[in-house]
Amino acid sequence: MGKKMMRRIVSSFFSLVALVVMVFFLSRLTGDPAALFLPIDATQEMLDQFRELHGLNDPLIQQFGRYVWDVLQLDFGDSIRKARPAIDVVLESFTWTLQLALITIALVTALAITIGSVAAFRPAGLFDRFVSLVSLIGASAPDFWIAIVGIVVFSITFGWVPTSGTGTVWHWILPVAVLFIRPFGLILQVVRGSMLTAFGSAYVKTARAKGVGNRSIIFVHTLRNAMLPVITVIGDQAAAMLNGAVVVETIFGFPGVGKLMIDSILQRDFNVILAAIMVTALAIFVMNLLIDIAYTLLDPRLRT
Amino acid sequence: MAEHLLEVRNLSVQFHTAGGTVHAVRNINWHLDRGETLAILGESGSGKSVSASAIMNLIDMPPGEITSGEVIFAGKNLLAMSDDERRAINGKRIAMIFQDPLSHLNPVFTVGWQIIEVMRIHGIAPDAARARALDLLKRVGIPEPETAMRKYPHQFSGGQRQRLMIAMALALKPDIVIADEPTTALDVTVQAEVLALLGELQKETGLGLLLITHDLGVVADIADRVVVMNAGEIVETGTPDEVYHNPKHPYTRKLISAAPGRGEMHEPNATGEPLLKVENLCKSYGSFKVLKGVSFTLQPGETMAVVGESGSGKSTLARALLRLDEADSGHAYWKGRDLLKMPAKELYRLRRQMQMVFQDPTQSLNPRMTVYQLISEAWVIHPEILPKPQWRPRVEELLTQVGLSPAHAERYPHQFSGGQRQRIAIARALALRPELIVCDEAVSALDVSIQAQVIALLDKLRRELGIAFIFIAHDLPVVRDFADHVMVMQAGECVEIGTVRQIFENPQRDYTRRLLDAGLDPDPRVQAARRMPKVQAGLEVG
């Protein structure tokens, strides 16, 4: 198990290196940073000054070397717009995103697994049909639409929750709710399918023949077996959220990393973009490692 | 009349499926007494497992429906009880063991947990349950019980897993144990051990054993009485001896005559240029040596059977010869040319001369292709063999040749029975006019009567078309009837090789003898004679 993890960590490290290379050169491909950053009517003098200041006159490879050296020391340079270290700006937003993602995923996981398992126990029963319908709608509804409808109904009409921003617990309700719906629908479908397969397995027959009760059959005997595909999907969904829930964060004015990236791209704040990509990539890499660990914990057959 | 331990009266069960209502069993009656072994014998679809499922409350309703009957246990009708009452009986007073212990044990829990669980749910304290589990593991012959408790099912061998299931079933000293094909997935030598263990445990505890099986040999080995089922009905009941030597019903007679192992043995006499000459074939997966230098020669039109227990390297040998897996070293000369060193292009042409038929036709036939597409696909790949206008007549000819009808060409595999599917797989192999067909357990998954038909078909093809076979099997009686030569394999090595008569009548090696002795004879008298030394040997080991 330890060996497998080490291999995973090493190969992920190489992916991160490749990512650094790609991000740096791709961002340079979009054009001359000085021209992109400064206003369109900037004078030649201003351009030269900007280039001198940010070392843009050096050969590209030298710039890259300097960039890598800095990244290794966790120095992503300053945010050009905010005049503070880019990494600080990113980590601040990322903390918000992380909280949002963790709360949402925890809720999704708990509810989707419980409801999906119970629904699968009596397939095509009333509860199952209702749940399948709701989850299908949830999985297919576009989040920008749900977000806007949510604001119109709950913030404007009823005035129960604020429309946007952060500050109180109430500010979290709409973003979490909107972010919740799609992964919930999706994961519930996966749980249901996986549990259906598990209920058909031979070991369930053995459990019945032993006199095991229904609750224990669902939540002890089958659930752990059915979790492997579910964990993969949960990991995917969590990774997508860690990337920044761009739409939700933008609509609700939520200061997360998704919104930060969009803003930085519009403002050509390259250092922030690079830092944000590295931080989210690292987070996704940690996520995948956690999923691997969860896999081996759940299934003893993967431990050898 | 004294009360029976368990009595099934007038039981009828239906299944409502998309294709209509299936009568799984109709008005069946049987009973089981204390200390007795009752075998329910039948082929797939005979309904032999249905009454056991009804007893254990394992029939899913819907689609299942119990339309009539009662199951009397301890003076009460099980079918009239609540689910809670039945759960209290399941595992405690009536326990069950199943065919494939790997899939019937939960893969993610330790075996200790699983054995203790059955006692915990029926109200035994944790410490007592643990102590009993250890005792049970010791009793069923699991080495190092303390360590074994913490292991998972996949860490045991097939035979050990079945012992674990037996331990679990016996945990609460049940009155009745139902064993549904308990040894079908096991090697012959392991099967003999497990049956012996079941017999001993029954003597110790006096439980009633209900054994569901398709195997006349198992019936001959341990049953006191046998119930023969066909198409949902009981056709005959009696002692194994009566039923075997004096069958009254035509179906029983057919079943008994289909049992392999009593035909004329082949006397191969071919000489000359061999079709295939294998020398010193080796193959490893990592550090595990699967094949340790296997050599043999095969003449055109002859059949070489490869027998051995699971893990002996039989299938790897076939895969290496067809180059589905690359061998590490050795030679395999196909008409003098080493096919292991052949370049891809030449191998591609050679492939059509060597075809393979697999064990499970359900998996080896693409479910989305019609029979016509399945068979003609070979000509799509090798277009030089047959011009397209002739495809249709040739498919129809092949279907006729394997005993199907030309009208079957447009159907899909799921519309056929298992035996018919295997015929389709054979027709597909024949499409390329091969000189060698490798059959990997090609008849093992089939019912005895179907098996006999497929073997007869292969024999006909061999005679008419002069096809050579490499016939991989674990079932020795079938091999005895079909093969010219036999190679016995153990742990990647060829233990013994010879003509079928040499191997079966005058085996030279201990392992070959053990393998032959472990086989069960369908005749109860023969089997009883065979059993005595085995039981003594078992006592020495135990």
Side-chain angles (χ1 to χ4, degrees):
Chain A
M1 179 178 166
K3 217 172 169 185
K4 223 155 99 186
M5 289 295 152
M6 271 319 289
R7 257 210 308 268
R8 189 72 193 232
I9 290 171
V10 169
S11 79
S12 300
F13 173 75
F14 283 109
S15 314
L16 285 178
V17 169
L19 193 72
V20 171
V21 175
M22 246 165 57
V23 162
F24 179 83
F25 286 101
L26 278 179
S27 73
R28 286 308 157 95
L29 276 181
T30 57
D32 175 6
L36 286 169
F37 181 77
L38 294 172
I40 201 148
D41 53 358
T43 60
Q44 187 61 40
E45 201 181 323
M46 286 163 77
L47 286 171
D48 288 342
Q49 199 189 352
F50 184 89
R51 290 200 181 108
E52 189 59 39
L53 186 67
H54 292 93
L56 298 175
N57 292 323
D58 301 332
L60 195 59
I61 193 76
Q62 197 181 332
Q63 292 182 42
F64 177 66
R66 202 162 52 220
Y67 178 74
V68 171
W69 178 243
D70 289 345
V71 165
L72 282 178
Q73 300 165 55
L74 292 180
D75 177 4
F76 289 85
D78 284 350
S79 161
I80 300 173
R81 292 288 172 193
K82 295 189 173 137
R84 352 188 240 134
I87 189 74
D88 291 356
V89 175
V90 170
L91 285 180
E92 195 179 288
S93 310
F94 185 72
T95 317
W96 285 104
T97 297
L98 191 65
Q99 291 178 50
L100 186 64
L102 285 183
I103 294 172
T104 313
I105 278 297
L107 283 174
V108 166
T109 306
L111 287 172
I113 288 177
T114 323
I115 298 176
S117 306
V118 174
F121 191 66
R122 298 229 185 281
L126 207 60
F127 183 70
D128 181 42
R129 280 182 210 192
F130 174 73
V131 164
S132 293
L133 185 72
V134 170
S135 70
L136 198 64
I137 294 173
S140 10
D143 45 7
F144 68 88
W145 180 80
I146 297 178
I148 291 167
V149 171
I151 291 175
V152 170
V153 175
F154 297 105
S155 306
I156 298 175
T157 312
F158 294 117
W160 289 344
V161 287
T163 51
S164 67
T166 55
T168 65
V169 176
W170 300 103
H171 283 93
W172 289 82
I173 292 180
L174 268 186
V176 168
V178 172
L179 216 48
F180 171 89
I181 289 175
R182 267 220 289 196
F184 172 72
L186 189 72
I187 291 169
L188 191 133
Q189 291 290 329
V190 178
V191 170
R192 183 183 170 273
S194 188
M195 285 298 274
L196 265 183
T197 316
F199 285 136
S201 343
Y203 56 79
V204 171
K205 237 168 135 183
T206 310
R208 291 227 159 92
K210 280 159 83 175
V212 178
N214 287 343
R215 199 180 314 148
S216 172
I217 285 182
I218 301 178
F219 292 110
V220 180
H221 283 260
T222 43
L223 190 59
R224 203 167 138 186
N225 280 285
M227 273 305 101
L228 291 183
V230 176
I231 283 189
T232 314
V233 182
I234 291 177
D236 273 3
Q237 295 297 312
M241 277 185 216
L242 287 179
N243 244 327
V246 179
V247 173
V248 168
E249 288 178 4
T250 309
I251 291 179
F252 292 104
F254 193 89
V257 77
K259 186 164 184 300
L260 177 72
M261 273 201 265
I262 293 286
D263 291 347
S264 307
I265 289 168
L266 294 174
Q267 296 163 356
R268 320 233 179 260
D269 202 342
F270 284 113
N271 287 342
V272 173
I273 300 174
L274 296 182
I277 291 178
M278 289 312 291
V279 167
T280 48
L282 200 66
I284 289 169
F285 152 65
V286 171
M287 262 294 306
N288 281 324
L289 209 61
L290 288 178
I291 291 175
D292 274 4
I293 292 172
Y295 257 69
T296 42
L297 285 181
L298 280 175
D299 191 341
R301 287 167 296 184
L302 300 175
R303 284 177 211 165
T304 35
Chain B
M1 190 181 76
E3 188 169 289
H4 298 299
L5 182 58
L6 180 75
E7 189 173 2
V8 170
R9 287 185 199 151
N10 219 14
L11 183 71
S12 298
V13 180
Q14 301 181 342
F15 288 93
H16 302 287
T17 66
T21 301
V22 180
H23 298 272
V25 295
R26 259 179 294 206
N27 295 322
I28 58 165
N29 293 282
W30 54 260
H31 63 85
L32 176 69
D33 288 319
R34 188 163 288 282
E36 175 190 50
T37 299
L38 174 71
I40 300 185
L41 177 72
E43 298 186 295
S44 45
S46 63
K48 63 180 184 293
S49 302
V50 176
S51 36
S53 300
I55 294 164
M56 299 307 284
N57 200 12
L58 294 177
I59 297 178
D60 283 324
M61 294 185 274
E65 187 192 352
I66 295 174
T67 50
S68 79
E70 41 191 18
V71 176
I72 308 293
F73 172 70
K76 281 193 188 153
N77 181 8
L78 289 178
L79 302 183
M81 286 182 188
S82 70
D83 281 353
D84 283 343
E85 286 174 285
R86 301 190 66 174
R87 263 200 291 276
I89 292 175
N90 274 9
K92 182 162 197 250
R93 305 202 56 194
I94 309 180
M96 185 155 181
I97 56 185
F98 297 90
Q99 171 170 357
D100 174 10
L102 180 58
S103 64
H104 281 91
L105 288 166
N106 198 321
V108 301
F109 293 103
T110 62
V111 301
W113 184 90
Q114 295 189 53
I115 296 173
I116 290 171
E117 187 198 23
V118 68
M119 293 181 267
R120 296 284 299 126
I121 38 186
H122 293 287
I124 307 238
D127 290 351
R130 205 189 132 70
R132 170 91 176 125
L134 277 173
D135 280 351
L136 285 162
L137 288 183
K138 242 174 266 163
R139 177 62 195 89
V140 298
I142 298 285
E144 300 178 45
E146 281 281 355
T147 330
M149 293 274 280
R150 289 192 298 273
K151 290 210 246 174
Y152 292 89
H154 72 276
Q155 294 168 301
F156 294 88
S157 71
Q160 286 177 328
R161 283 194 282 261
Q162 196 57 290
R163 287 167 191 270
L164 294 168
M165 283 289 264
I166 293 172
M168 201 152 81
L170 292 173
L172 293 158
K173 303 188 173 130
D175 301 304
I176 297 169
V177 168
I178 301 176
D180 190 352
E181 301 272 13
T183 56
T184 307
L186 306 177
D187 283 324
V188 270
T189 52
V190 182
Q191 159 170 294
E193 290 164 17
V194 168
L195 289 177
L197 175 66
L198 276 175
E200 287 166 31
L201 293 169
Q202 185 187 32
K203 272 198 201 81
E204 279 173 31
T205 59
L207 54 83
L209 179 63
L210 175 65
L211 186 78
I212 298 157
T213 183
H214 71 283
D215 191 340
L216 277 166
V218 172
V219 173
D221 192 47
I222 65 168
D224 298 313
R225 277 189 311 124
V226 56
V227 165
V228 185
M229 287 195 69
N230 180 36
E233 283 168 356
I234 292 177
V235 297
E236 194 156 348
T237 313
T239 66
D241 201 86
E242 281 163 20
V243 169
Y244 186 85
H245 289 284
N246 193 12
K248 296 192 180 59
H249 194 276
Y251 175 77
T252 319
R253 281 201 284 275
K254 190 181 122 202
L255 201 63
I256 289 167
S257 67
R262 279 159 305 169
E264 276 289 301
M265 282 196 263
H266 289 258
E267 301 285 355
N269 51 11
T271 48
E273 189 67 13
L275 182 68
L276 181 68
K277 190 167 194 288
V278 177
E279 282 175 2
N280 217 8
L281 202 63
C282 294
K283 167 82 189 168
S284 310
Y285 291 114
S287 61
F288 181 65
K289 289 193 178 114
V290 194
L291 293 177
K292 303 171 191 164
V294 174
S295 310
F296 67 92
T297 322
L298 181 67
Q299 301 289 336
E302 281 196 349
T303 298
M304 168 67 74
V306 182
V307 302
E309 299 188 290
S310 43
S312 60
K314 309 183 295 263
S315 293
T316 309
L317 174 66
R319 296 180 62 84
L321 289 177
L322 293 170
R323 283 186 64 178
L324 299 172
D325 278 340
E326 293 295 329
D328 296 339
S329 65
H331 305 279
Y333 298 99
W334 175 264
K335 298 178 185 168
R337 300 264 295 114
D338 190 345
L339 64 87
L340 298 183
K341 304 217 164 37
M342 243 175 224
K345 214 167 170 185
E346 212 176 328
L347 182 70
Y348 169 79
R349 281 200 298 275
L350 181 88
R351 276 262 160 79
R352 62 176 190 235
Q353 297 169 33
M354 302 165 69
Q355 289 294 301
M356 187 147 182
V357 177
F358 297 92
Q359 170 166 10
D360 183 354
T362 317
Q363 285 179 20
S364 62
L365 298 175
N366 187 333
R368 306 247 183 279
M369 287 167 87
T370 63
V371 170
Y372 175 79
Q373 288 169 328
L374 284 165
I375 296 176
S376 62
E377 191 188 21
W379 305 317
V380 178
I381 299 165
H382 297 278
E384 69 285 4
I385 292 190
L386 201 66
K388 195 156 185 187
Q390 290 173 32
W391 286 10
R392 172 77 48 183
R394 176 74 177 132
V395 166
E396 293 178 355
E397 188 189 344
L398 283 167
L399 286 176
T400 317
Q401 204 164 27
V402 297
L404 296 171
S405 137
H408 288 146
E410 294 313 316
R411 295 199 194 164
Y412 289 90
H414 72 267
Q415 294 170 290
F416 295 90
S417 69
Q420 288 174 320
R421 272 183 226 144
Q422 201 58 299
R423 286 168 193 266
I424 297 168
I426 293 168
R428 176 173 67 174
L430 291 175
L432 290 167
R433 302 180 192 279
E435 294 176 58
L436 170 68
I437 295 182
V438 178
C439 294
D440 190 356
E441 300 279 6
V443 296
S444 316
L446 305 176
D447 279 324
V448 196
S449 55
I450 311 294
Q451 191 177 51
Q453 291 166 12
V454 172
I455 287 290
L457 167 67
L458 292 176
D459 188 47
K460 184 185 96 170
L461 296 172
R462 178 169 59 181
R463 276 183 284 111
E464 289 174 2
L465 307 174
I467 297 172
F469 285 92
I470 290 177
F471 189 80
I472 295 167
H474 68 276
D475 189 1
L476 294 171
V478 173
V479 167
R480 183 188 172 283
D481 288 356
F482 184 68
D484 297 307
H485 298 271
V486 181
M487 172 159 78
V488 182
M489 285 186 71
Q490 184 194 18
E493 275 171 297
C494 166
V495 174
E496 187 165 3
I497 190 164
T499 66
V500 68
R501 189 175 293 282
Q502 283 164 356
I503 297 290
F504 276 84
E505 290 186 347
N506 191 17
Q508 298 300 308
R509 305 292 293 267
D510 277 349
Y511 181 72
T512 313
R513 269 195 289 272
R514 271 220 310 278
L515 214 54
L516 288 169
D517 285 346
L520 300 174
D521 197 280
D523 184 339
R525 292 175 199 169
V526 177
Q527 183 55 32
R530 217 187 253 187
R531 206 175 154 201
M532 283 321 291
K534 218 160 56 188
V535 170
Q536 278 153 9
L539 286 177
E540 280 160 33
V541 175

